[in-house]
Amino acid sequence: MSPLSHASRASSPEGRAIGRPVLAVLDETAFAEPERWGFAGWTASRKEEERTMTCKNRAKNCGGCPLLELPYADQLKQKEEKVRALLGRYGPVHPIRGMETPYHYRNKVISTFAAGQGGKLVSGIYAAGTHKVLPVERCLLEDEVLDTVLKAVRAAAAACRYQPFREDQGTGLLRHCLLRRGAATGQVMVVLVTAQPILPGAKNFVRALLAEAEKRQVPVTTIVQNYNPRRTSVVLGEQEKVLYGKGFILDELCGKTYALSPRSFYQVNPVQTAVLYGLAVEAAQLTGREVVLDAYCGIGTIGLTAADRAKQVVGVELNRDAVRDAIGNAKHNGVKNARFFAADATAWICEAAAAGERADVIFMDPPREGSTPQFIESVVRMAPRRVVYVSCNPETMARDLALLTKKGYRAEGFTPVDMFPNSEHIEVVCALSRQEQRKQSRR
């Protein structure tokens, strides 16, 4: 049986229904109107705010905000011009969608532990081009609640006399702290990454952290220990233990509720993610009759956002944990017309195309390295009416569009979205339509 035919019956990578208990179900909200998404301009008060936004870490070689000293209006202009230079030959580049307040937008923080002056436990990020931890107390990109939660984590860990992991010696306990916050729910997850499988005095640490958080008037919804014994730059290991709460938090995005686990892929800028996904779904021009393929689907955010407007959604993602999250998220939201598969997107779509399967619309949201020639060839064989390409790397998008446009697809336009203000990164949404279909419709 072909993949798309089988989709109506598959409920998980292993063929079993997967779900998590839901702490609360949030009311759905309507899509924001397109005219409300745009960057409205930079007022005098905002320019004054820019002048006061200074960062002590920048002088210490942080490297996290290379564009911080550039006025935000100029950042947007620079990014839009970059997209136009790379992609303008394929179609019109629309005005960039910027943020009203381009600070403190990151809903996820990763902080590395180290020994500071006098052996004090500190945490922060690696200084640019080094393996030296730069202590960070406050960051202009990070959610301010998470900055405060991180202070509570350090205080609780110090009270428990936990020592930082020393990579050169292979000694110590604490490696990293990963924090997530649901922008809509306010729920906070704390993930303590350790070099040892046992967290001594775990109950004492939980009590201390909850007390420190309460003292600072910030929430902690769940606490998870993640064990990572490997000598690697990868933050999270494979083993986890829930110390407090349910081991996940909830958030809402585009009218859907999502359960987020420590390893869930979830965009870090909730305000701009809503803009990005709204643009992508609008570009698909769905009528409720389409079969939609969501390639590189992650935890299902784009596919589930589109599900209310489609006949059927099929999501494909290589990461099995993400697929489990996607299936659980569909169940949480009562979405019955979406199915998800754990598979390499290229291999899966090649099999589906070879079996003669068709999709009316394909969403493709590949990683920074872009898609593959084999994937694009299979897209062409499936002959969708529309392809919506969401890219976090305009350079690899340009490479992939060279193939798609040669194979009969036309780029209708590009909308840059500033997902990461004060950095050089940018996301782009592109709608492509199949030229053969357009010609036939004139006959």
Side-chain angles (χ1 to χ4, degrees), residues 100 231 388 439:
E100 202 65 21
R231 298 289 185 92
V388 179
K439 291 178 181 178

Side-chain angles (χ1 to χ4, degrees), residues 79-134:
K79 292 181 179 184
E80 185 178 309
E81 289 176 347
K82 177 181 179 180
V83 172
R84 184 169 286 109
L86 288 167
L87 302 171
R89 64 183 181 274
Y90 295 110
V93 176
H94 304 302
I96 188 170
R97 304 299 178 93
M99 289 193 75
E100 202 65 21
T101 305
Y103 306 102
H104 302 298
Y105 57 83
R106 289 189 65 93
N107 60 13
K108 176 183 175 182
V109 172
I110 296 175
S111 191
T112 299
F113 289 104
Q117 292 183 351
K120 179 183 177 182
L121 183 68
V122 299
S123 71
I125 64 173
Y126 291 115
T130 76
H131 207 62
K132 180 181 178 181
V133 173
L134 172 65

Side-chain angles (χ1 to χ4, degrees), residues 404-421:
L404 280 164
T405 53
K406 285 180 182 178
K407 298 293 183 178
Y409 281 86
R410 180 181 69 88
E412 296 180 349
F414 304 88
T415 303
V417 178
D418 191 21
M419 289 284 288
F420 311 102

Side-chain angles (χ1 to χ4, degrees), residues 97-404:
R97 304 299 178 93
M99 289 193 75
E100 202 65 21
T101 305
Y103 306 102
H104 302 298
Y105 57 83
R106 289 189 65 93
N107 60 13
K108 176 183 175 182
V109 172
I110 296 175
S111 191
T112 299
F113 289 104
Q117 292 183 351
K120 179 183 177 182
L121 183 68
V122 299
S123 71
I125 64 173
Y126 291 115
T130 76
H131 207 62
K132 180 181 178 181
V133 173
L134 172 65
V136 175
E137 291 289 326
R138 179 175 179 268
C139 175
L140 291 179
L141 301 190
E142 296 171 359
D143 185 306
E144 291 178 286
V145 171
L146 295 185
D147 278 344
T148 304
V149 172
L150 191 53
K151 292 177 183 177
V153 171
R154 288 194 295 262
C160 292
R161 300 182 183 276
Y162 293 156
Q163 297 298 309
F165 178 68
R166 298 178 183 270
E167 191 172 7
D168 55 341
Q169 301 175 10
T171 61
L173 176 65
L174 301 183
R175 300 189 67 156
H176 313 282
C177 182
L178 182 151
L179 304 176
R180 288 184 184 273
R181 180 171 182 260
T185 65
Q187 296 182 2
V188 171
M189 170 188 289
V190 175
V191 182
L192 201 64
V193 184
T194 64
Q196 307 297 330
I198 303 298
L199 182 65
K203 292 182 179 180
N204 290 336
F205 171 74
V206 169
R207 283 193 291 266
L209 176 53
L210 295 177
E212 291 288 346
E214 183 178 8
K215 183 168 65 176
R216 291 169 170 81
Q217 298 183 321
V218 289
V220 171
T221 308
T222 189
I223 305 170
V224 179
Q225 179 196 359
N226 178 278
Y227 169 47
N228 186 358
R230 296 173 294 174
R231 298 289 185 92
T232 175
S233 60
V234 176
V235 172
L236 296 178
E238 299 297 323
Q239 299 181 40
E240 292 174 355
K241 181 180 180 181
V242 178
L243 304 179
Y244 173 77
K246 299 291 186 179
F248 65 92
I249 61 173
L250 297 179
D251 197 18
E252 182 183 328
L253 178 64
C254 296
K256 296 290 189 296
T257 304
Y258 294 93
L260 307 176
S261 61
R263 285 180 284 188
S264 294
F265 173 79
Y266 193 65
Q267 292 279 10
V268 300
N269 186 333
V271 173
Q272 293 297 83
T273 300
V275 173
L276 185 76
Y277 290 175
L279 288 168
V281 173
E282 291 296 330
Q285 297 183 2
L286 300 173
T287 66
R289 299 188 296 270
E290 293 85 2
V291 174
V292 173
L293 175 60
D294 181 11
Y296 314 94
C297 71
I299 64 171
T301 43
I302 293 180
L304 292 177
T305 300
D308 293 342
R309 302 186 179 190
K311 178 182 178 181
Q312 183 183 29
V313 172
V314 178
V316 183
E317 167 62 44
L318 181 62
N319 185 297
R320 300 179 77 85
D321 291 324
V323 173
R324 291 189 179 94
D325 285 337
I327 294 164
N329 288 326
K331 189 174 182 179
H332 294 164
N333 289 282
V335 176
K336 298 180 180 180
N337 63 333
R339 299 292 183 267
F340 298 93
F341 294 90
D344 175 77
T346 295
W348 194 95
I349 197 173
C350 286
E351 181 183 345
E357 294 293 341
R358 295 289 182 267
D360 301 299
V361 175
I362 293 180
F363 289 102
M364 49 188 296
D365 185 9
R368 286 191 60 79
E369 57 265 27
S371 190
T372 65
Q374 295 85 358
F375 181 94
I376 293 172
E377 288 288 348
S378 295
V379 167
V380 173
R381 290 179 66 182
M382 294 187 80
R385 173 177 57 86
R386 297 182 72 76
V387 175
V388 179
Y389 192 145
V390 180
S391 172
C392 58
N393 186 345
E395 294 179 357
T396 55
M397 184 184 218
R399 180 202 66 201
D400 293 342
L401 286 174
L403 290 175
L404 280 164

